[in-house]
Amino acid sequence: MSRQVFLYDPPDRFIAGTVGLPGRRTFFLQASAGGRTTSVALEKTQVAALAERIDELLDEVVRRTGGNAPVPAVAPTELTDTAPLEAPVEEEFRVGTMALAWDGEEQRMIVEAQALVELEAESEEDLAEAEERLLQDEVNGPPMLRVRLTGTQARAFAKRALEVVNAGRPPCPLCSLPLDPEGHVCPRQNGYRRGA
């Protein structure tokens, strides 16, 4: 069986979104085009890191091209997408590894999210080598979502992704940890409960 690659070049829609209540949310990347939709689950920290890296890479593209690349400085308001994930949300896989690249010839951002894979090895070196071989294996590698975006689409994705990450539970004003609706045991209050 060959490697399963969910390719969207270009997607009609590529967003980060969640299912569930704050504190118990599951995060997803979702791409759709031509009547098909692919949803992959990942951690909140992965969504935040992806959005930040996309913005950093786009800023670097603008800097290196002297502003000649078709990349806006900020996400255009007309591309703001606040709609929820397309239902039903069916997880294809859980993301383990992500990669970003800029295709200078096509002027496109390439986002790749590969499935989480558990490997066994006798040493750290063997594990790293086995992981690299598996990720580069185009025939037997883990399932992958590959999305090619314009600079404008990439900015819009990053903006929404950061908004989704920040829309969770409000932080405690003392310790910055998330507040739970049931209360919060704040380490800065010697274990006393704070109301939400």
Side-chain angles (χ1 to χ4, degrees), residues 7 18 34 43 45 52 65 97 107 118 124 134 147 152 154 164 187:
L7 176 64
T18 61
E43 299 297 322
T45 55
E52 290 166 6
T65 63
T97 306
Q107 301 290 300
E118 292 189 32
E124 287 290 323
L134 184 62
V147 182
T152 304
V164 166

Side-chain angles (χ1 to χ4, degrees), residues 49-59 100 109 111 154 157-158:
L50 178 61
E52 290 166 6
R53 285 294 302 134
I54 284 174
D55 273 338
E56 289 171 7
L57 182 55
L58 291 173
D59 291 344
L100 288 177
M109 167 82 60
V111 179
F157 169 85

Side-chain angles (χ1 to χ4, degrees), residues 47-110:
V47 175
L50 178 61
E52 290 166 6
R53 285 294 302 134
I54 284 174
D55 273 338
E56 289 171 7
L57 182 55
L58 291 173
D59 291 344
E60 182 66 15
V61 167
V62 170
R63 187 187 68 73
R64 286 187 179 192
T65 63
N68 292 326
V71 176
V74 295
T77 55
E78 66 269 12
L79 288 184
T80 300
D81 182 346
T82 58
L85 294 168
E86 289 184 34
V89 179
E90 296 175 6
E91 178 183 323
E92 293 293 339
F93 59 84
R94 177 158 286 282
V95 175
T97 306
M98 294 185 294
L100 288 177
W102 179 257
D103 180 344
E105 286 183 28
E106 297 288 324
Q107 301 290 300
R108 295 285 185 265
M109 167 82 60
I110 302 164

Side-chain angles (χ1 to χ4, degrees), residues 105-196:
E105 286 183 28
E106 297 288 324
Q107 301 290 300
R108 295 285 185 265
M109 167 82 60
I110 302 164
V111 179
E112 291 183 349
Q114 298 187 52
L116 181 64
V117 177
E118 292 189 32
L119 298 171
E120 293 183 25
E122 298 201 12
S123 71
E124 287 290 323
E125 291 171 359
D126 291 345
L127 184 61
E129 186 178 310
E131 184 177 65
E132 185 61 31
R133 266 196 323 269
L134 184 62
L135 294 176
Q136 299 302 322
D137 189 341
E138 289 298 323
V139 177
N140 300 308
M144 176 174 45
L145 170 65
R146 181 180 291 147
V147 182
R148 294 176 57 87
L149 306 166
T150 65
T152 304
Q153 288 174 315
R155 280 283 191 217
F157 169 85
K159 180 178 185 283
R160 177 189 167 122
L162 289 173
E163 289 170 354
V164 166
V165 166
N166 293 326
R169 297 172 287 168
C172 172
L174 298 175
C175 70
S176 299
L177 292 174
L179 291 172
D180 286 322
E182 299 87 34
H184 167 68
V185 178
C186 180
R188 303 231 16 220
Q189 292 290 311
N190 294 326
Y192 288 101
R193 239 184 206 311
R194 291 183 49 89

